[in-house]
């Protein structure tokens, strides 16, 4: 089981929950793919239609920015915590 | 009957409603706070008017939502309403235009997007499909991006002939279809592109906005990136109607929805000086299809005025006499209920206004 932590602006897409549980493990892609089945609108706010992470959405796997650890191929093991955070941007 | 004015801004959608023939307005919003609402439409072909909003979150990307209760609640499909097919390798930047088709196709809604593409909905704007014929056009690799990005920002269905459709993009110019979007031909003859080595190219023009005449649908008006034009042959050829305007630069071009020959625009000094001409807040109107132009400023701010009006931030309603509206990059919205003769403030201090659309509902 993997826990995905959601930022405030995205919780509405998960029924108000601040976290969702996903059974898939292996890679971040697998985790997000499974999350997309139950929460498609949540998923498309994190990844575009190519499946790529949106530019100003950051995803941390056990505290490490996935962009520095393989992107969507970042390993995710059972019990991991995946945190989604909007990056600091805009005015 | 009420008048609804939808105001898309850089940080959300505001809805202004008037129940006293456009004298006073009640405003709700922001709907979709912190999203740029570049496209909004009021589809009055349905028994219940449908609002459509194309919004883009800087963080969480673009989407399209609809409302069948005049904005009291919004509905967004689970699947992305507008998305590029996987084989294109492209992702949607934003929706720049949502345009209901003609009365013969009540469930058809067109969307113009960035990057430049046309999408068609046959379910009233809930889901859209890429129009492959335009996407696969051999010119596409040569379409350039202007400062606002590369986008189809004008979609003009023909009001009487569903087979005919016109789109315009920055940068790329006007394209026409006479077979319901199966094939496309450039329609830029006579439109100058001073920023190209060949100033009269077949395509590549930066057309900012095209509007269709109400009485004569073969007649079109275009505000170009320097150049104001009219076509009398459904967009095949164009001739200048810039004489009489203080500048041939600007963004919006709005045609009266019921009165042939009447158009409004908001000139800016120049490409390199994007301030209103003479630094005054003035709308220019022609009642003779661009032959003569007159400045309109009664009720508008009198002092120095610097904000621009973007390409979709001016519109007309379908009331009689006709209402005209515009919003500025400084978040002011003005309305006229007498075709531009006089104006009053609808709202001030909003985020910068990207688009406005008005209709009787």
């Amino acid at each position: 089981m993997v826990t995905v932590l959601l930022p405030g602006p995205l919780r509405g897409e998960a029924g108000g929950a601040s976290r969702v549980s996903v059974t898939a493990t292996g890679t971040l892609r697998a985790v997000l793919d499974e999350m997309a089945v139950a929460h498609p609108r949540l998923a498309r706010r994190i990844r575009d239609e190519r499946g790529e992470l949106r530019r100003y959405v950051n995803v941390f796997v056990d505290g490490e920015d996935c962009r520095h650890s393989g992107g969507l191929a970042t390993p995710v093991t059972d019990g991991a915590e995946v945190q989604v955070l909007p990056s600091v941007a805009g005015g | 009957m009420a008048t609804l004015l939808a105001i898309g801004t850089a940080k959300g959608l505001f809805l202004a409603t008037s129940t006293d023939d456009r004298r006073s307005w009640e405003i709700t919003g922001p709907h979709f706070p912190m999203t740029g609402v570049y496209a909004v439409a009021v589809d009055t072909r349905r028994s219940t008017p449908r609002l459509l909003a194309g919004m883009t979150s800087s963080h969480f990307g673009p989407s399209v939502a609809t409302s069948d209760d005049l904005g009291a609640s919004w509905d967004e499909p689970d699947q992305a309403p507008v998305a590029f097919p996987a084989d294109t390798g492209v992702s949607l930047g934003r929706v720049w235009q949502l345009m209901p088709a003609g009365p013969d196709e009540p469930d058809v809604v067109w969307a113009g997007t960035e990057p430049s593409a046309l999408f068609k909905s046959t379910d009233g704007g809930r889901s859209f499909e890429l129009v492959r014929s335009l996407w696969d056009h051999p010119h596409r690799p040569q379409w350039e991006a202007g400062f606002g990005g590369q986008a189809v920002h004008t979609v003009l269905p023909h009001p009487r002939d569903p087979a005919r459709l016109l789109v315009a993009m920055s940068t790329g110019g006007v394209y026409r279809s006479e077979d319901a979007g199966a094939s496309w031909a450039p329609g830029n003859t006579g439109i100058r592109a001073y920023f190209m080595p060949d100033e009269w190219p077949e395509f590549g023009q930066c057309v900012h906005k095209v509007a269709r005449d109400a009485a004569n649908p073969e007649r079109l008006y275009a505000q170009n990136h320097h150049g104001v034009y009219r076509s009398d042959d459904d967009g095949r050829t164009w001739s200048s109607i810039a004489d009489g305007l203080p500048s041939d630069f600007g963004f919006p071009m709005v045609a009266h929805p019921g009165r042939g020959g009447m158009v409004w625009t908001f000139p800016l000094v120049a490409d390199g000086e994007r301030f209103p001409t003479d630094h005054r807040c003035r709308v220019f109107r022609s009642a003779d299809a661009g032959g003569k132009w007159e400045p309109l400023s009664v009720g508008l701010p009198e002092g120095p005025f610097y904000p621009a009006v973007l390409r979709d931030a001016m519109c007309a309603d379908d009331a009689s006499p006709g209402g005209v509206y515009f919003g500025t990059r400084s978040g002011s919205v003005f309305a006229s209920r007498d075709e531009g003769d006089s104006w009053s403030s609808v709202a001030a201090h909003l985020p910068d206004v990207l688009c406005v659309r008005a209709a009787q509902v």
Side-chain angles (χ1 to χ4, degrees):
Chain A
M1 189 74 76
V2 174
T3 302
V4 182
L5 305 177
L6 301 175
L10 291 183
R11 290 174 191 168
E13 302 299 356
S18 62
R19 58 186 63 207
V20 298
S21 297
V22 175
T23 56
T25 58
T27 63
L28 178 59
R29 178 179 285 107
V31 169
L32 295 179
D33 282 351
E34 185 188 315
M35 195 174 75
V37 175
H39 304 288
R41 293 200 312 196
L42 170 62
R44 65 184 163 88
R45 281 153 169 71
I46 298 170
R47 290 196 291 173
D48 65 23
E49 61 262 57
R50 297 172 302 166
E52 300 295 326
L53 286 177
R54 295 197 181 279
R55 183 178 176 188
Y56 294 115
V57 174
N58 295 329
V59 180
F60 296 80
V61 177
D62 287 330
E64 181 150 5
D65 186 341
C66 77
R67 288 195 170 88
H68 308 306
S69 56
L72 291 167
T74 298
V76 179
T77 54
D78 191 38
E81 198 171 74
V82 173
Q83 188 167 15
V84 179
L85 287 172
S87 64
V88 179
Chain B
M1 182 168 267
T3 304
L4 178 72
L5 172 63
I7 306 162
T9 78
K11 293 185 181 179
L13 176 69
F14 295 81
L15 296 175
T17 305
S18 174
T19 54
D20 58 359
D21 192 19
R22 302 165 289 177
R23 287 179 177 82
S24 63
W25 300 88
E26 273 188 41
I27 298 178
T28 66
H31 308 259
F32 319 113
M34 294 308 294
T35 69
V37 178
Y38 275 74
V40 65
V42 186
D43 188 350
T44 55
R45 300 169 304 168
R46 315 175 73 82
S47 56
T48 301
R50 172 171 287 179
L51 304 188
L52 302 103
M55 68 280 199
T56 305
S57 161
S58 302
H59 288 101
F60 305 121
S63 193
V64 176
T66 59
S67 172
D68 290 340
D69 55 12
L70 300 180
S73 64
W74 292 88
D75 193 21
E76 194 189 333
D78 282 344
Q79 303 306 319
V82 180
F84 281 90
D87 68 290
T88 63
V90 168
S91 61
L92 178 67
R94 61 172 55 110
V95 175
W96 279 74
Q97 189 83 160
L98 291 164
M99 178 61 76
D104 296 337
E105 301 176 297
D107 290 322
V108 173
V109 177
W110 300 97
T113 67
E114 174 187 348
S116 283
L118 180 69
F119 286 75
K120 182 179 185 179
S121 170
T122 56
D123 60 4
R126 301 282 298 157
S127 64
F128 291 80
E129 199 167 321
L130 177 66
V131 175
R132 288 278 183 176
S133 52
L134 188 63
W135 182 254
D136 292 336
H137 198 287
H139 291 171
R140 185 171 65 84
Q142 296 172 67
W143 295 341
E144 302 289 344
F147 181 70
Q150 187 211 63
V152 169
H153 51 66
T154 299
V155 183
L156 286 177
H158 193 285
R160 296 172 199 159
D161 182 356
R164 287 156 73 180
L165 188 65
L166 178 146
V167 301
M169 65 189 80
S170 296
T171 296
V174 170
Y175 282 79
R176 308 169 59 255
S177 176
E178 295 182 350
D179 52 13
S183 65
W184 297 86
N188 299 296
T189 302
I191 299 183
R192 183 166 168 254
Y194 74 92
F195 46 84
M196 304 269 280
D198 171 7
E199 294 192 352
W200 304 96
E202 181 187 22
F203 63 96
Q205 283 81 352
C206 187
V207 177
H208 285 169
K209 199 68 198 174
V210 185
R212 194 184 290 278
D213 190 88
N216 176 6
E218 312 302 305
R219 176 170 277 179
L220 299 154
Y221 308 90
Q223 171 67 63
N224 197 54
H225 192 102
H226 279 303
V228 184
Y229 299 93
R230 188 183 77 216
S231 171
D232 292 325
D233 55 9
D234 198 24
R236 290 182 183 83
T237 63
W238 301 81
S239 55
S240 176
I241 53 169
D243 284 353
L245 283 168
S247 166
D248 68 353
F249 191 88
F251 287 97
M253 177 62 74
V254 173
H256 194 300
R259 185 167 158 181
M262 183 169 279
V263 282
W264 300 271
T265 187
F266 192 95
L268 304 179
V269 175
D271 177 15
E273 194 177 344
R274 297 186 185 194
F275 299 121
T277 52
D278 301 324
H279 302 161
R280 292 172 60 192
C281 185
R282 292 180 301 179
V283 172
F284 281 74
R285 177 178 65 190
S286 175
D288 61 357
K292 295 189 293 291
W293 294 93
E294 59 178 323
L296 309 169
S297 60
V298 175
L300 294 176
E302 293 179 356
F305 193 84
Y306 295 96
V309 176
L310 295 179
R311 66 179 86 249
D312 269 306
M314 180 179 276
C315 73
D317 67 22
D318 50 353
S320 182
V324 197
Y325 308 83
F326 70 93
T328 72
R329 298 211 72 179
S330 61
S332 294
V333 181
F334 298 97
S336 168
R337 51 195 295 273
D338 52 16
E339 300 179 336
D341 287 340
S342 63
W343 299 82
S344 61
S345 171
V346 174
H349 314 304
L350 300 180
D352 43 340
V353 177
L354 305 174
C355 61
V356 293
R357 287 292 183 275
Q360 291 184 286
V361 293

